[in-house]
Amino acid sequence: MGQRIATFAETLLSRLTTIEIYLIGRCLKMKMKRYTKEFIVNNRFYQMPKFLFEGEFKKLSNDARVLYSLLRDRHDLSLVNNWVNEKGEVYLICTRESMAEMLGCSIPTARKAVNQLIKYGLIEEERQGLNKPNLIYLTAISIENTR
């Protein structure tokens, strides 16, 4: 039975490029490998700031937290498109429909998440008018020592 489990585990996990796992009895032995170009391209991650889970932000919904992180990730796209105002502030252009699609939720749920982010001061919007999407500015949180 133990050999069958080990064989199954090896077969199942043989496609991992960063780690090889061998089941030996009940112990795991790991062998580390360097990241490959293919692994990096196929295994991208979003970063979620820790401050979203601290202090006043503990009351944020998970949708709002995830949306903030997804929008933060889109800053790279903003730089590629040169979406920077005259003050050097980077903005995003993203409709509520796009946000709902990114979150995998309804448009009203995306609106709620945006409204929470605005309420907590994590995003600011500038209207463009003429039926164009608003410019969205993410705010950067800085912690100051008050002592």
Side-chain angles (χ1 to χ4, degrees):
M1 176 89 165
Q3 182 61 33
R4 288 175 61 197
I5 292 172
T7 304
F8 175 74
E10 279 187 53
T11 304
L12 185 64
L13 300 173
S14 64
R15 293 187 179 166
L16 290 177
T17 57
T18 56
I19 240 178
E20 293 178 40
I21 301 176
Y22 300 96
L23 193 57
I24 303 171
R26 293 187 179 189
C27 300
L28 291 177
K29 180 180 177 186
M30 291 187 274
K31 181 180 177 187
M32 307 306 274
K33 288 187 178 181
R34 294 180 179 177
Y35 278 95
T36 63
K37 179 180 174 184
E38 179 182 315
F39 185 81
I40 292 170
V41 169
N42 292 325
N43 292 283
R44 299 174 313 144
F45 299 92
Y46 291 107
Q47 292 182 348
M48 187 173 290
K50 288 183 181 181
F51 75 81
L52 294 174
F53 297 90
E54 299 169 348
E56 65 182 298
F57 303 114
K58 283 184 180 182
K59 295 180 183 177
L60 276 174
S61 69
N62 286 333
D63 286 334
R65 289 181 180 118
V66 171
L67 180 59
Y68 183 89
S69 301
L70 294 171
L71 293 174
R72 175 62 188 91
D73 185 67
R74 288 186 56 151
H75 268 161
D76 293 335
L77 178 63
S78 294
L79 293 175
V80 168
N81 290 325
N82 199 31
W83 291 344
V84 181
N85 68 15
E86 61 281 346
K87 297 177 189 172
E89 299 165 335
V90 179
Y91 60 86
L92 307 160
I93 298 176
C94 190
T95 64
R96 300 299 192 262
E97 292 80 11
S98 296
M99 292 178 197
E101 188 174 318
M102 287 172 15
L103 284 172
C105 68
S106 67
I107 294 171
T109 300
R111 278 192 197 116
K112 271 193 218 174
V114 169
N115 289 338
Q116 278 191 335
L117 293 173
I118 291 171
K119 176 183 171 186
Y120 283 87
L122 293 172
I123 65 173
E124 298 171 356
E125 288 188 296
E126 279 185 17
R127 296 184 65 85
Q128 293 192 88
L130 302 173
N131 211 19
K132 292 182 181 178
N134 295 342
L135 303 182
I136 300 169
Y137 293 89
L138 296 180
T139 58
I141 303 299
S142 61
I143 308 297
E144 296 178 5
N145 190 354
T146 58
R147 291 184 192 186

Coordinates of all heavy atoms in Angstrom, one line a residue, residues 16-22 28-34:
L16 N 5.5 19.4 -11.2 CA 6.0 20.6 -10.5 C 7.4 20.8 -11.0 O 8.2 19.9 -11.1 CB 5.9 20.4 -9.0 CG 4.5 20.4 -8.4 CD1 4.7 20.1 -6.9 CD2 3.8 21.7 -8.6
T17 N 7.7 22.1 -11.3 CA 9.1 22.4 -11.7 C 10.0 22.9 -10.6 O 11.2 22.9 -10.7 CB 9.1 23.4 -12.8 OG1 8.4 24.6 -12.4 CG2 8.4 22.8 -14.1
T18 N 9.4 23.4 -9.5 CA 10.2 24.0 -8.4 C 10.5 23.0 -7.3 O 11.4 23.2 -6.5 CB 9.5 25.2 -7.8 OG1 8.2 24.8 -7.3 CG2 9.4 26.3 -8.8
I19 N 9.7 22.0 -7.2 CA 9.9 21.1 -6.1 C 9.6 19.7 -6.5 O 8.6 19.5 -7.2 CB 9.0 21.5 -4.9 CG1 9.8 21.9 -3.7 CG2 7.9 20.6 -4.6 CD1 9.0 22.4 -2.5
E20 N 10.4 18.7 -6.1 CA 10.0 17.3 -6.3 C 9.8 16.7 -5.0 O 10.5 16.9 -4.0 CB 11.2 16.6 -7.0 CG 11.5 17.1 -8.4 CD 12.7 16.4 -9.0 OE1 12.8 15.2 -8.8 OE2 13.4 17.1 -9.7
I21 N 8.7 16.0 -4.9 CA 8.3 15.4 -3.6 C 8.3 13.9 -3.7 O 7.7 13.4 -4.6 CB 6.9 15.9 -3.1 CG1 7.0 17.5 -3.0 CG2 6.6 15.3 -1.8 CD1 5.7 18.1 -2.6
Y22 N 9.0 13.3 -2.8 CA 9.0 11.8 -2.8 C 8.5 11.3 -1.5 O 8.8 11.8 -0.4 CB 10.5 11.3 -2.9 CG 11.2 11.8 -4.2 CD1 12.0 12.9 -4.2 CD2 11.0 11.1 -5.3 CE1 12.6 13.3 -5.3 CE2 11.6 11.5 -6.5 CZ 12.4 12.6 -6.5 OH 13.0 13.0 -7.6
L28 N 8.3 13.1 4.1 CA 8.4 13.8 2.8 C 9.9 14.3 2.7 O 10.4 14.9 3.6 CB 7.5 15.0 2.6 CG 6.0 14.7 2.5 CD1 5.2 16.0 2.5 CD2 5.7 13.8 1.3
K29 N 10.4 14.1 1.5 CA 11.8 14.6 1.3 C 11.6 15.6 0.1 O 11.1 15.2 -0.9 CB 12.7 13.5 0.9 CG 14.1 14.0 0.6 CD 15.0 12.8 0.3 CE 16.4 13.3 -0.1 NZ 17.3 12.2 -0.5
M30 N 12.1 16.8 0.2 CA 12.0 17.8 -0.8 C 13.3 18.1 -1.5 O 14.3 18.2 -0.8 CB 11.4 19.1 -0.3 CG 9.9 19.0 0.2 SD 9.2 20.5 0.6 CE 9.7 20.6 2.3
K31 N 13.3 18.3 -2.8 CA 14.5 18.7 -3.5 C 14.1 20.0 -4.2 O 13.2 20.0 -4.9 CB 14.8 17.6 -4.5 CG 16.1 17.9 -5.3 CD 16.4 16.8 -6.3 CE 17.6 17.3 -7.1 NZ 17.8 16.3 -8.2
M32 N 14.9 21.0 -4.0 CA 14.6 22.3 -4.5 C 15.3 22.5 -5.9 O 16.4 22.0 -6.1 CB 15.1 23.4 -3.6 CG 14.7 23.3 -2.1 SD 12.9 23.1 -2.0 CE 12.5 24.9 -1.9
K33 N 14.6 23.1 -6.8 CA 15.1 23.5 -8.1 C 14.9 25.0 -8.3 O 14.1 25.6 -7.7 CB 14.3 22.7 -9.2 CG 14.6 21.3 -9.3 CD 13.9 20.7 -10.5 CE 14.2 19.2 -10.6 NZ 13.6 18.7 -11.8
R34 N 15.7 25.5 -9.2 CA 15.6 27.0 -9.5 C 14.4 27.2 -10.4 O 13.9 26.3 -11.1 CB 16.8 27.4 -10.3 CG 18.1 27.3 -9.5 CD 19.3 27.8 -10.3 NE 20.5 27.8 -9.5 CZ 21.7 28.1 -9.9 NH1 21.8 28.4 -11.2 NH2 22.7 28.0 -9.1

